[in-house]
Amino acid sequence: MSVKLEVVDIEIPEGANVIIGRSHFIKTVEDLYEALVTSCPSLKFGIAFCEASGKRLVRHDGNDEDLRKKAIEACMKIGAGHVFVVYIRNGWPINVLNAIKSVQEVVSIDAATANPVKVVVADLGDQRALLGVADGFKPLGVEGEDDIRERKEFLRKIGYKR
């Protein structure tokens, strides 16, 4: 048996975030929809899920057609069974991650970001596996006192800390 490694670029539309994870059952799409729609009233989203057996379709849902299409495209590019992709706008991953994690079918979350994303996939012929996710870029150094102060001010400015 041979393994071919592939790096897949995941497009992130302007003003959106992407969440990539793994799940294990066909009802993932419906349960993720419910988790997202009840987490943040302003949230716009698209969901896609790579079914791993049976018809092996990319299942999809959402309340924003463009984000739904992007999620489908990302899942087709990744092509690994039981992987899901969620694109969101008008909210942040921090608003929905706990709800997503509480969905019974969700096994893990690999990324939640607006940074550039690359997914490493192993192609085994009739199977593909998501090996990992590259989120953003390498660090350039260690924060100093000014950086710490800037981080703390930023969190207060956007309302996440008082």
Side-chain angles (χ1 to χ4, degrees):
M1 172 187 287
S2 65
V3 176
K4 177 184 168 201
L5 294 181
E6 183 179 337
V7 177
V8 177
D9 279 311
I10 301 300
E11 181 184 345
I12 302 183
E14 183 69 31
N17 278 260
V18 66
I19 300 167
I20 301 171
R22 301 169 210 226
S23 187
H24 74 91
F25 194 48
I26 193 172
K27 76 185 193 82
T28 296
V29 169
E30 285 85 356
D31 289 354
L32 285 176
Y33 184 99
E34 290 172 1
L36 291 166
V37 81
T38 59
S39 292
C40 184
S42 63
L43 195 70
K44 296 297 180 194
F45 60 90
I47 306 164
F49 169 69
C50 297
E51 190 175 42
S53 60
K55 291 186 175 184
R56 298 189 339 230
L57 302 172
V58 171
R59 306 292 181 165
H60 55 93
D61 206 339
N63 64 6
D64 182 288
E65 195 57 31
D66 289 334
L67 295 178
R68 180 198 299 233
K69 287 178 184 175
K70 290 292 182 197
I72 292 168
E73 289 171 15
C75 271
M76 290 297 293
K77 286 168 75 173
I78 296 168
H82 288 152
V83 169
F84 66 84
V85 175
V86 177
Y87 282 101
I88 63 172
R89 273 199 182 108
N90 300 341
W92 309 103
I94 196 170
N95 303 131
V96 299
L97 282 174
N98 282 337
I100 290 173
K101 291 175 196 175
S102 72
V103 171
Q104 291 176 324
E105 302 86 30
V106 171
V107 175
S108 64
I109 295 176
D110 296 281
T113 189
N115 292 326
V117 174
K118 292 183 184 344
V119 175
V120 180
V121 176
D123 191 323
L124 307 168
D126 61 347
Q127 293 178 304
R128 286 170 67 90
L130 189 156
L131 298 182
V133 176
D135 177 351
F137 302 101
K138 297 187 268 187
L140 298 175
V142 177
E143 71 179 349
E145 291 303 316
D146 289 342
D147 303 304
I148 292 169
R149 187 172 32 264
E150 183 180 306
R151 169 175 42 90
K152 289 179 177 182
E153 287 172 2
F154 173 73
L155 291 173
R156 280 149 187 82
K157 178 182 174 185
I158 64 173
Y160 279 110
K161 294 288 183 177
R162 296 188 333 156

